[in-house]
Amino acid sequence: MIENNSKRIVCVRGPEKFSEIKITEPKGYAAGKEGIAAAMKHSFKEMGVIRAMTTLSHMNQKDGFDCPSCAWPDPEKPSRIAEYCENGAKALADEATTSHIGAEFFAKHSVEELSLRTDYELNALGRLTEPLVLKEGSINYSPIPWEEAFTLIADGLHSLKNPNEAIFYTSGRSSNEAAFLYGLFARAFGTNNLPDCSNMCHESSGVALSETLGIGKGSVKLEDLYRAEVIIVAGQNPGTNHPRMLSALEKCKENGGSVISINPLEESGLINFKNPQSLKGLLGSGEQITDLHLAVNINQDIPLIKLILKKLSALDKLAGNIFDHGFIQEYTTGAEDLLKDLDSYSEKELLKLSGVTREKVNAAVKLLAGKQKIIVCWAMGLTQHKNGVETIREYVNLLLLKGAIGKPFSGTCPVRGHSNVQGDRSVGIMHYIDKGFNKRIESHLGFVPPSEAGVDVVGAIRAMHEGKAKIFMALGGNFLMAASDTDFTAEALQRCELTVQVSTKLNRSHLVTGKTALILPTYGRSEKETKGKNRFVTVENSMGRIRRSRGVLKAASEHLKSEPELIASIAARYFDEEHALDWKVLGSDYSRIREMIDKVAKGFENTELRAKGVGYYLPNNVREKDFSKLPGGKARITINKLPEHELEVDEFMLMTIRSHDQFNTTIYGMDDRYRGVYNERRIVFMNPDDMVEHDLEKTEVVNLSSTYDAKTRTAYNFKVLPYKIPKGNLAAYFPETNVLVPYNHFADRSRTPISKSIKVRVLKPQLS
Ligand code: SF4
């Protein structure tokens, strides 16, 4: 419990208590009948049968709405039966639930009392239905008319001495229209303080890909996966986090391709996929997905890839055709230096660091040697380390040496987690300066954006903690639970004068607040906006395609406002008509926003029309093998250092993971079906030999502690479970373990938190 500057006492981490755990063997496959049953159970419970079935039939369809969950792309011809997965159905059920909470509920339940509920229990309360204020000194939210809420925000912003005292955070749920308008307002107000959830996930991918290939996005299209010869899935668990990706991997396998998975855990979805839309999946044995699983030690992908490259290079010296020398010569720089550098490492050392057996490494080399159509897919397992940028660059080296870039069925595939996280960045949610973007704002929209860079997530936490930022506004998300160092982040938020959350459902960030707090309830992606003109929105998927999304459901409440509408209202109130833009019109006519996006954001063109149906692709220089923006006009092959992990003898390397009943910080349920864990989240997965060595029994209760810069952080009460994970490695769910991640330890250059490689000790409670 923490007392803040308004004398409220709240539980920052949520209760650290146990439920009734049930454990089974991990599943050897993903989806299947159980997937359908789980999807329907959640949907029917939250929405009722008819509402669920009608709404689901519009999800990811050409004239329907985009799934609010992950950013996996839709195929050219979506299935009319069901173009969604179990997790998409859960996300929809979560948003379209018929449970609602409003003023009456908040009058009965104080923020103190609510903060003692788990994140799962908070989410299960249902949709927020009216704007609410938590006044200074009060412990209960109470209703506030929209106009008063806008005035409160506008007055707060006017009271700041400097625009940089305000922070405008964005989660990846917001549409292009909302994100663009929000970024525009922040800039018109005078700051580039635009941190976003990308800072915490794929920022390392953006930096690595920009440095090597000249664009911070992936290069493949969905259809490329179908005919790739080899797909490497690294640091990613698609079965839980991007389930429809399994259909693409299945197609690749059916067409004769191979899949190599590189991950400390052998996840069910990568073992076998029982496609619920095929007889083989429903009644038969499903499709074996992974041909080769390399159980790499946490964050030791660099030594593993170096070893593979070294072995490929040795073969190339003999045969001369393992690497694509024509491609290397014409399109890349740095190959010679890299190959020379590889000579300085011993195979033995690289093998030991990787933790993979020699036989498996040789099998991977054999699979890759004669192939050119290679795709590397990845997610947080590569990005959230101190050397996250370097790790991705090392995988890019492999692709460049093999000439597997800018050609069909080859390339980079960073798989984005939130449905429009990529689009938000494309339309201007960035804390750094893009001179071209600013220039276009100036010439087309008639005002000059600030030229000083703003803060990212790490910078925002620090600024609030130091009292340099006083207003925090969040367009969606659950900042407290998404960010690292939960206790420190909570202190930072609580030092603000005003915190504002634009939300659909209640979460802990509404309870751990500044002196005054506002909740502004908004529409979900599946809901129909009836007011105003042209009320559809657009989103960008993981592969750079823009499509439109139009909700079909009646809104959860008549008191909701759309994100563009409420942003425009705040701007109109703040500027009081003294600004180059007519904000009120923008809030009501989304076509006007799209016209502006076309003028200001790179690659957008005639979006109003072209986003129809399956939409259109934004330009991508890598697809054209155009590296002219990079020094020397060529793609860069880079030399990357080995990760430095000096563990003390009693330390482990911990990676945070999601459960199968979870999407980012939203907890849909308490089960992790694929890993065989039911009704419990306070789990630490451990190698059985490590358990013996540390005298630990199955389900024994331990505390986890991390020490960085002489400060020890402890996460209490976890049950130890034996699991197939390399020795010395641990896995546990976030956000429960975010308390262990120091906010000021992050990836070099991208500043992505080190959530996938935290040095921890496992302590029996009496020794903690
Ligand atoms: S794969 Fe992702 S986008 Fe597609 S339905 Fe599932 S959760 Fe939604």
Side-chain angles (χ1 to χ4, degrees), residues 59-60 67 69-72 83-85 87-88 242-245:
M59 190 151 84
N60 293 332
C67 171
S69 191
C70 84
W72 190 252
E83 193 53 64
Y84 56 86
C85 68
N87 288 18
H242 317 94
R244 275 191 308 158
M245 180 176 165

Side-chain angles (χ1 to χ4, degrees), residues 30 58 513 566 586:
H58 292 275
T513 65
L566 66 87
L586 289 175

Side-chain angles (χ1 to χ4, degrees), residues 178-191:
F180 178 76
L181 212 56
Y182 190 60
L184 214 54
F185 172 57
R187 291 179 176 94
F189 171 66
T191 184

Side-chain angles (χ1 to χ4, degrees), residues 7 67 79 153 230 273 362 383:
K7 305 289 172 231
C67 171
S79 156
I153 298 168
V230 181
F273 172 46
N362 288 342
T383 65

